Amino acid sequence: MRFDPPLVQGRLIKRYKRFLADIALDDGGTTVTAHVANPGAMTGLAEPGMEAWLRRADDPHRKLPWSWELVRAGRGLVGVNTGLPNRLVAEALEEGAIPELAGYGRHRREVRYGTNSRVDFVLEDGARPPCYLEVKNVHLKRRGPLAEFPDSVTARGTRHLRELSAVARDGGRAVMLYVVQRADCAAFAVAADIDPAYAAALADARAAGVELLCYACRIRRQGIRLAAPLPLAS
């Protein structure tokens, strides 16, 4: 996925009210307020002075034309827009770039299922049962090269795991795919200390037959793509 128009560089002044950030552009004096499409804690990614990359939208109906997309953490760039993983996965599915999910002829998005829920994707093929696929964004990194999820308590994420577990128990295929929007991680683990309920629901989901996948991303200022799979830490 390419960023179009190209991203604009700045420096973070502060993030506040979760979905807002003031950023000083590298043009000699302009400060803008950007939308932050991220409800999480963004631990280690929202410190004042950090290098930020913004996208400007031309939509005249948007209240805030700027959106915060990337931040530099250490030597690498990290994606902070939690809405991007679904787009990255849709692109990868079309290209057959996720071997574990290849071969399905049709991909439907935001499909109602379970108890008043929507699953991110349903993959369908006439020769086999459908696959229910949920996608989660990951950018937390606290311990060495380990990516972790979640970075804050997520009742919604726990509900999604329970819905997928019900699909698996009924004999269907259910998959949880974690997309790590950074390239400096070597494995993935659940952050049980941050959200014990989510960790318990994940253990139950695995026992029920829900498949867990994790993929890192290759991130450049020009765009983001899914890259190599990451192992699940024990």
Side-chain angles (χ1 to χ4, degrees):
M1 188 205 77
R2 294 188 63 82
F3 291 116
D4 185 21
L7 301 183
V8 176
Q9 186 176 355
R11 292 281 171 179
L12 178 65
I13 298 174
K14 64 177 178 179
R15 180 201 183 199
Y16 55 102
K17 296 182 179 178
R18 288 199 300 173
F19 301 109
L20 298 174
D22 289 340
I23 296 173
L25 302 184
D26 287 0
D27 64 357
T30 304
T31 297
V32 300
T33 298
H35 174 63
V36 185
N38 191 318
M42 289 182 62
T43 303
L45 301 176
E47 302 301 321
M50 296 186 82
E51 177 185 306
W53 291 85
L54 310 182
R55 176 176 55 84
R56 182 182 175 89
D58 293 328
D59 185 351
H61 300 292
R62 280 188 52 146
K63 183 177 180 180
L64 296 174
W66 294 95
S67 296
W68 186 9
E69 297 290 348
L70 305 177
V71 64
R72 187 172 296 282
R75 296 183 179 180
L77 293 169
V78 179
V80 299
N81 183 343
T82 62
L84 280 189
N86 280 31
R87 293 175 59 186
L88 298 174
V89 169
E91 180 181 81
L93 290 173
E94 290 296 329
E95 296 174 353
I98 306 175
E100 300 91 340
L101 301 174
Y104 290 92
R106 183 185 181 197
H107 312 138
R108 290 191 291 142
R109 300 180 65 170
E110 294 293 324
V111 179
R112 290 187 178 276
Y113 82 129
T115 305
N116 197 30
S117 292
R118 292 178 183 269
V119 69
D120 289 323
F121 295 89
V122 173
L123 315 183
E124 296 173 314
D125 182 88
R128 51 182 162 169
C131 172
Y132 289 78
L133 173 63
E134 189 70 37
V135 177
K136 294 299 178 190
N137 174 77
V138 181
H139 50 46
L140 177 62
K141 179 174 177 282
R142 300 181 294 174
R143 300 174 288 168
L146 189 65
E148 296 180 276
F149 180 91
D151 75 340
S152 60
V153 174
T154 173
R156 183 170 179 266
T158 299
R159 186 180 77 249
H160 290 160
L161 284 174
R162 290 172 178 156
E163 299 285 21
L164 289 178
S165 297
V167 170
R169 290 193 184 97
D170 287 341
R173 187 183 184 194
V175 179
M176 175 63 74
L177 172 56
Y178 297 97
V179 175
V180 181
Q181 280 203 80
R182 54 193 308 160
D184 57 354
C185 296
F188 169 83
V190 63
D193 60 316
I194 292 177
D195 192 343
Y198 185 88
L202 184 62
D204 290 344
R206 297 183 78 169
V210 176
E211 302 169 43
L212 305 185
L213 300 176
C214 183
Y215 272 76
C217 289
R218 183 168 64 90
I219 303 179
R220 301 288 185 270
R221 287 175 293 147
Q222 295 79 15
I224 305 179
R225 293 181 62 84
L226 282 194
L230 294 181
L232 306 176
S234 57

